[in-house]
Amino acid sequence: MRLTALLAASVLLLPAAPALGQDMADGEPSACAAGRAALELGNSADAIDFFRTCLDRAELDMNAEIGIYAAMGAAHLSEQDFQAALEAYNFAFAIVETNGGRVVEPSLYRNRGIARSELGQLDGALDDLLRAAAAAPDDTLTQINLGVVYQGLGRDADAVVAFDTVVRLEPDWIGAWINRAGALLDVGLTGAAVEDARRAVELAPEDGTTLNMLCWTLIQDGRAETALPLCEMAVAAEPDIGAIVHSHATALEAVGRADEARRLFRRAWRLAPDDPEITQDYERTHNP
């Protein structure tokens, strides 16, 4: 069972994007400055409170107001409140458009695209991320999320291209190889997917996610016997991840150990009952 694409801490390390290339003055109102300081320290919930106070009480010019809404959007992304993040970014864009301006900062498009993607608004997310990629083609977060959106839209070959860029930009990050391995599986290039998964394991040989991806790609490449010990290692590292238990069950079933597989399909379903592939295999093996 392939894990969800890794996003390089996309909702944990997002900076407060500057708006229109202009920062606020050094003497900005205290609540605004406190919000920026809190966001920089990773205290996103506090930052949101400060930004709200700033917007309610401070007299801000257009660029300053856009900057605060953009920073608030980044804070909401860090809190994984994607609807609130989208609303904040939409406010920033609306202010620009109302004043006849044009957004030129690519991180605004990128971050709004991430929020839209997380909310399932894939067409809008794609539009934003393509704008961001056109302005900043080597931004890793943009390319990762572009690949994820392409996968969601069923544009698997385009996802591979996006993840190719991620591998080029971040060759020492396991997520680059895992994401591309998943995309290669989607286009049927199982051998190439195995090689990417092997590279991830070389970088993190005891990581359950990397071991699981190599296990899963080998199963898809028709090499379940080779996959099985890797599946066992992945489960030992991460025993409570439904996707990893599901991979182990799939390998066992492929080598003819149906009774053991059946028990693990049930365990995987209990750990991840909302996963459609896990549910399908559980129902298939328990309601023949």
Side-chain angles (χ1 to χ4, degrees):
M1 176 65 191
R2 178 167 53 84
L3 295 177
T4 302
L6 299 182
L7 296 183
S10 64
V11 296
L12 298 178
L13 301 177
L14 287 167
L20 304 179
Q22 178 176 339
D23 292 325
M24 295 184 67
D26 291 338
E28 65 184 355
S30 59
C32 308
R36 290 183 180 278
L39 186 58
E40 186 173 345
L41 292 171
N43 300 326
S44 52
D46 290 340
I48 291 166
D49 289 338
F50 283 125
F51 290 141
R52 285 174 177 156
T53 300
C54 168
L55 291 167
D56 287 342
R57 299 180 184 176
E59 293 293 332
L60 304 175
D61 64 23
M62 183 187 75
N63 281 330
E65 188 175 14
I66 294 166
I68 292 299
Y69 274 116
M72 180 178 281
H76 281 302
L77 283 180
S78 294
E79 290 292 299
Q80 299 189 43
D81 187 344
F82 302 112
Q83 184 60 48
L86 178 58
E87 291 170 2
Y89 284 115
N90 282 342
F91 270 117
F93 277 84
I95 294 168
V96 175
E97 293 164 5
T98 299
N99 287 274
R102 182 172 63 89
V103 174
V104 296
E105 172 53 55
S107 65
L108 283 175
Y109 285 109
R110 179 198 69 198
N111 291 359
R112 188 173 72 169
I114 291 171
R116 284 176 158 173
S117 174
E118 292 288 349
L119 293 169
Q121 301 174 16
L122 297 184
D123 289 330
L126 180 61
D127 182 66
D128 277 346
L129 291 167
L130 287 174
R131 288 174 182 265
D138 288 344
D139 181 73
T140 303
L141 270 180
T142 298
Q143 294 296 332
I144 294 164
N145 285 280
L146 192 55
V148 171
V149 168
Y150 277 135
Q151 286 179 309
L153 291 169
R155 295 174 57 174
D156 299 326
D158 289 324
V160 172
V161 173
F163 291 134
D164 282 343
T165 302
V166 177
V167 167
R168 174 176 62 81
L169 294 171
E170 300 287 346
D172 295 327
W173 176 53
I174 62 171
W177 300 97
I178 289 174
N179 288 338
R180 192 171 71 174
L184 288 166
L185 285 180
D186 290 339
V187 296
L189 297 176
T190 56
V194 169
E195 292 310 307
D196 273 10
R198 285 194 196 282
R199 183 60 184 272
V201 170
E202 289 172 2
L203 291 170
E206 298 180 359
D207 183 87
T209 299
T210 64
L211 291 164
N212 179 64
M213 181 55 88
L214 183 53
C215 154
W216 185 250
T217 56
L218 284 165
I219 294 169
Q220 301 309 303
D221 201 44
R223 291 185 271 172
E225 288 279 2
T226 303
L228 186 55
L230 293 158
C231 302
E232 293 168 349
M233 293 168 63
V235 170
E238 297 283 355
D240 296 322
I241 303 296
I244 292 177
V245 175
H246 177 267
S247 294
H248 188 193
T250 303
L252 287 168
E253 185 177 45
V255 300
R257 294 162 62 178
D259 289 342
E260 295 172 80
R262 186 172 182 272
R263 290 194 296 271
L264 288 182
F265 280 130
R266 180 172 62 249
R267 173 166 168 73
W269 176 72
R270 288 176 174 171
L271 289 168
D274 295 330
D275 186 295
E277 186 172 2
I278 290 174
T279 298
Q280 181 179 20
D281 278 337
Y282 167 71
E283 292 177 346
R284 174 178 60 81
T285 55
H286 286 74
N287 299 289

